[in-house]
Amino acid sequence: MSTASEIYSPGLEGVVAGETAISTVAEGLSYRGYPVPELAEKCSFEEVAFLLLHGELPTARQLAEFNSRIGVARRLPEPLRDLLESLPRWSLPMDVLRTAVSILAHFDQDASDNSHAANVRKAERLLAQIPLAVVDYHRFSQGQQPVPARSDLSTAANFLYMLRGTEASPEDVKALDVSLILYAEHEFNASTFTARVICSTESDLHSSVVGATGALTGRLHGGANEKVMDLLEATGGPEPAEAWLRDALSRKERIMGFGHRVYKTGDVRAGILKTYAQAAARRAGQEKWEETAEIFERIIAEEKNLHPNLDWPAGRLFHAMGLEVPLYTPIFVMSRITGWSAHVIEQLDKNRLIRPRARYIGPERRPVKPLAERRE
Ligand SMILES: CC(C)(COP(=O)(O)OP(=O)(O)OC[C@H]1O[C@@H](n2cnc3c(N)ncnc32)[C@H](O)[C@@H]1OP(=O)(O)O)[C@@H](O)C(=O)NCCC(=O)NCCS
């Protein structure tokens, strides 16, 4: 038996659990060395997806070929479409997506091939297929038929087109595109670490993504963006917001969209997306939620020294764009599939089984009593 070091950190806080060349939060978040604010300003989501999956930003030719592969892969197998139509309308979209990824594995000719090249091919296909599964189920659950995907549109533009049946405004497409860039990758967060643990057993990419999707669903992780508007709406608006919030904080309620395990002085991504949330709220005539959000930011900083994370502006932005709340965490998956896949590929390129030790806090060693001697 190998000896376990006695260093123990609840929730693995501060523990370095592996190496990665994909992103770092040191000196501000960067993907493969590029500062994320610069990527959000100068690149499309597809360029960032290529960077994460292939290691470098694409040339114009590489980007055109990548977009063409994604466009061609925008199809769902018929049996999955039929299943999406037959699932209960009250199913949670994240649960549906988890099931959809699992089913997609059965139709992927590379499913059990764990080579680097096959994993990149599978990742590109999932990048194309996940938005379709999200939007097709959403339309079925609303009693509508799916809108066929378009191969000439970006991920953001095609998603909004399939959702609404008409092309979205350039402002909406840009705002969603920037959200996808900001959500794409974040080092060893809970869902990415889940994906790495799963593939470290030499399991496959789809299994890793199914597990990661489950991890992202929780409200302490991706699920937080779906709770933001519930909170803002519960206040009743800017007037009663301060009293409502002080009361919630005095009851030790957790305010979704605030706080972070790693960022203790603020999340640069939240600042970037806030500008888009404010602009979208102005276009939609919904400034009152932005005013309410400002009140939250001020009071939570004062009272708890906590700052917004990316989910805080994302929930507001998606709401101002008229997107329905159960789509918010699935949008996160549409983007994070790139980061998850990059990590699975990196893990498998230099794999070592992830198997930590536990500190035992159970009963002392004791003999097993025969059944007849055990008392109620
Ligand atoms: C993200 C999160 C899980 C990180 O938490 P963590 O590093 O484990 O920190 P802890 O849960 O130990 O919290 C430390 C303290 O801050 C408080 N706190 C942390 N986040 C808080 C929040 N969003 N609202 C109110 N209080 C919060 C905790 O109650 C705790 O206070 P205490 O010491 O008085 O008990 C946490 O900040 C949170 O729950 N945020 C809301 C969910 C969210 O937005 N998730 C998306 C993350 S990107």
Side-chain angles (χ1 to χ4, degrees):
M1 190 179 74
S2 65
T3 53
S5 111
E6 264 307 308
I7 299 165
Y8 166 57
S9 175
L12 299 184
E13 181 164 5
V15 171
V16 173
E19 291 183 324
T20 183
I22 301 167
S23 74
T24 179
V25 295
E27 298 173 53
L29 181 62
S30 58
Y31 301 161
R32 299 205 187 271
Y34 296 108
V36 165
E38 219 177 312
L39 290 170
E41 192 192 322
K42 297 182 181 163
C43 296
S44 64
F45 170 63
E46 281 69 24
E47 288 171 77
V48 171
F50 187 98
L51 170 70
L52 292 170
L53 294 178
H54 294 271
E56 291 296 340
L57 282 170
T59 61
R61 182 186 57 78
Q62 287 171 325
L63 182 63
E65 287 171 1
F66 180 68
N67 285 336
S68 149
R69 290 197 297 277
I70 301 295
V72 168
R74 278 196 187 130
R75 296 186 284 116
L76 293 184
E78 245 351 277
L80 174 55
R81 292 278 293 275
D82 294 345
L83 179 84
L84 293 175
E85 190 168 12
S86 62
L87 284 173
R89 291 186 179 187
W90 55 87
S91 292
L92 295 175
M94 281 298 282
D95 296 347
V96 171
L97 190 49
R98 189 196 58 217
T99 302
V101 172
S102 196
I103 288 174
L104 283 168
H106 299 288
F107 296 91
D108 196 307
Q109 64 269 31
D110 289 320
S112 59
D113 184 344
N114 259 350
S115 65
H116 184 109
N119 279 329
V120 173
R121 288 196 297 272
K122 286 185 280 187
E124 289 189 355
R125 283 195 282 271
L126 283 172
L127 177 61
Q129 292 164 325
I130 283 173
L132 272 58
V134 173
V135 87
D136 280 2
Y137 175 70
H138 182 74
R139 288 186 67 93
F140 283 135
S141 71
Q142 311 280 307
Q144 298 170 322
Q145 281 304 302
V147 170
R150 292 227 335 236
S151 57
D152 58 321
L153 297 177
S154 67
T155 299
N158 180 59
F159 176 73
L160 293 173
Y161 167 74
M162 289 179 70
L163 199 61
R164 299 168 173 168
T166 54
E167 278 191 44
S169 68
E171 292 82 8
D172 274 5
V173 172
K174 175 69 182 167
L176 184 58
D177 198 73
V178 170
S179 315
L180 297 178
I181 293 174
L182 299 176
Y183 267 135
E185 160 58 13
H186 212 204
E187 204 220 34
F188 275 23
N189 59 85
S191 56
T192 300
F193 193 61
T194 302
R196 288 191 81 128
V197 170
I198 292 174
C199 74
S200 83
T201 68
E202 296 189 1
S203 179
D204 62 288
L205 180 81
H206 284 81
S207 299
S208 301
V209 174
V210 169
T213 304
L216 191 76
T217 303
R219 70 176 197 145
L220 297 189
H221 193 7
N225 65 8
E226 296 189 4
K227 305 293 175 203
V228 165
M229 282 314 298
D230 288 350
L231 279 171
L232 291 173
E233 285 174 344
T235 64
E239 278 285 297
E242 177 158 354
W244 185 95
L245 180 59
R246 289 197 189 279
D247 180 52
L249 291 175
S250 71
R251 282 183 280 107
K252 291 221 162 258
E253 271 191 31
R254 240 161 227 257
I255 311 299
M256 297 296 123
F258 282 83
H260 199 273
R261 173 58 66 80
V262 181
Y263 300 130
K264 297 301 178 194
T265 55
D267 175 346
V268 69
R269 303 169 304 167
I272 296 171
L273 209 61
K274 180 177 181 173
T275 315
Y276 288 90
Q278 288 173 331
R282 273 197 299 281
R283 289 198 296 280
Q286 290 182 6
E287 284 102 327
K288 76 171 182 176
W289 300 125
E290 288 306 301
E291 286 168 41
T292 313
E294 289 290 347
I295 295 167
F296 269 57
E297 290 183 22
R298 176 173 56 78
I299 294 173
I300 296 173
E302 261 168 42
E303 294 264 322
K304 308 282 290 184
N305 194 25
L306 288 172
H307 304 278
N309 57 55
L310 178 56
D311 291 318
W312 180 242
R316 283 149 37 216
L317 168 67
F318 299 158
H319 183 261
M321 287 171 63
L323 304 179
E324 285 173 60
V325 171
L327 290 168
Y328 299 1
T329 317
I331 291 174
F332 193 157
V333 180
M334 279 163 43
S335 157
R336 187 57 63 86
I337 181 62
T338 55
W340 288 339
S341 302
H343 278 273
V344 168
I345 292 164
E346 185 180 64
Q347 178 71 33
L348 287 171
D349 280 351
K350 199 179 165 197
N351 191 40
R352 183 139 201 254
L353 177 72
I354 299 174
R355 200 302 189 191
R357 293 292 310 278
R359 176 181 286 177
Y360 180 66
I361 54 165
E364 297 279 309
R365 282 177 82 84
R366 49 192 172 156
V368 177
K369 274 190 188 158
L371 185 58
E373 288 174 26
R374 287 178 229 153
R375 299 283 167 257
E376 293 272 325

